Amino acid sequence: MDFFSLSPDEWNAVGLSVKVAAVAMVASLPVAIAVALLLARREFWGKSLLNGVVHLPLVLPPVVTGYVLLLTFGRRGLVGSFLADAFGLVFSFRWTGAALACAVMGFPLMVRAIRLSVEAVDMRLEDAASTLGANPLWVFLTVTLPLTLPGIIAGMILSFAKAMGEFGATITFVSNIPGETQTLPTAIYAYTQVPGGDPQALRLTAISVMISLAALMASEVLARRAGQRIAA
């Protein structure tokens, strides 16, 4: 039991990681659903470009993504300076920036899972609802959304798990400030850089693995239950 007796700084890192991952997942969900629907159901000029931009964080080095975020959403960045002056919303070197970085890194996984689920929906069901007088929004809420729920759940959990393990983009964008931006991965890295820090790094590694594994198992269970309800 002593192995899992965490110090206050370690508890802060664990709590901040869960907070950042949850905020990143929830904030990116509406955009991910909209983009997945657009890519799955619409043909338009620039579709391949949009698809490439969405999946770019998967192939770019995370440090590059973090640097682009710093240039864009930093205090001197075009978007960052506007948000700070107009709304007092600051991302660089804040936990909100860590959430933004995690949302960007997990966004492709969420979009991919939802898009595959949307493409698997039989459009004849939606057409039938439309012929009965339902408007497009009602068709989406009552037919498309319930049928894509397993994919949405899977995408959310994948995004959460990715956020829990995000390191490169986060440390580049918001640094590694204890109590403010130090998440589990950056805390593990910090402990590996100091003499005698191996026990703390190993302890946080074990906790990170358990949280991510629990999230993936929960995703499987929830997606299966959602599928069973749809089949019923």
Side-chain angles (χ1 to χ4, degrees):
M1 294 297 294
D2 291 339
F3 180 77
F4 290 105
S5 297
L6 304 183
S7 67
D9 288 340
E10 292 169 327
W11 274 118
N12 285 337
V14 173
L16 183 61
S17 290
V18 174
K19 175 183 177 181
V20 164
V23 170
M25 177 186 68
V26 173
S28 59
L29 180 59
V31 182
I33 293 176
V35 172
L37 284 169
L38 186 64
L39 292 174
R41 294 293 177 82
R42 295 288 185 269
E43 294 295 332
F44 55 92
W45 185 89
K47 180 177 179 178
S48 297
L49 178 61
L50 175 60
N51 186 61
V53 171
V54 167
H55 290 88
L56 203 56
L58 290 180
V59 295
L60 280 178
V63 173
V64 173
T65 302
Y67 185 60
V68 171
L69 288 173
L70 183 61
L71 292 177
T72 306
F73 292 95
R75 289 300 298 264
R76 297 182 180 179
L78 180 62
V79 178
S81 59
F82 170 75
L83 293 176
D85 295 338
F87 305 103
L89 183 59
V90 178
F91 288 104
S92 57
F93 308 109
R94 301 282 181 88
W95 76 268
T96 50
L100 176 61
C102 289
V104 169
M105 295 301 295
F107 190 72
L109 299 174
M110 186 182 291
V111 170
R112 182 66 176 170
I114 299 174
R115 179 182 177 180
L116 291 174
S117 188
V118 171
E119 291 175 343
V121 173
D122 189 346
M123 295 185 64
R124 291 176 297 181
L125 297 174
E126 298 173 325
D127 293 338
S130 297
T131 58
L132 294 175
N135 60 50
L137 178 60
W138 189 247
V139 171
F140 170 74
L141 292 176
T142 60
V143 179
T144 310
L145 188 61
L147 291 175
T148 57
L149 190 57
I152 293 174
I153 294 173
M156 290 175 63
I157 302 300
L158 285 174
S159 173
F160 180 87
K162 175 66 175 176
M164 287 295 299
E166 176 50 41
F167 174 76
T170 302
I171 200 170
T172 304
F173 184 32
V174 297
S175 189
N176 184 18
I177 306 172
E180 180 64 37
T181 66
Q182 188 175 75
T183 57
L184 272 173
T186 55
I188 292 170
Y189 174 78
Y191 281 124
T192 62
Q193 302 304 302
V194 298
D198 287 343
Q200 292 93 331
L202 182 60
R203 182 161 54 232
L204 292 181
T205 298
I207 292 173
S208 180
V209 169
M210 287 189 293
I211 292 175
S212 297
L213 184 59
L216 292 173
M217 292 174 64
S219 170
E220 182 70 20
V221 172
L222 291 173
R224 187 184 301 116
R225 289 183 178 178
Q228 290 173 348
R229 289 182 180 181
I230 292 172

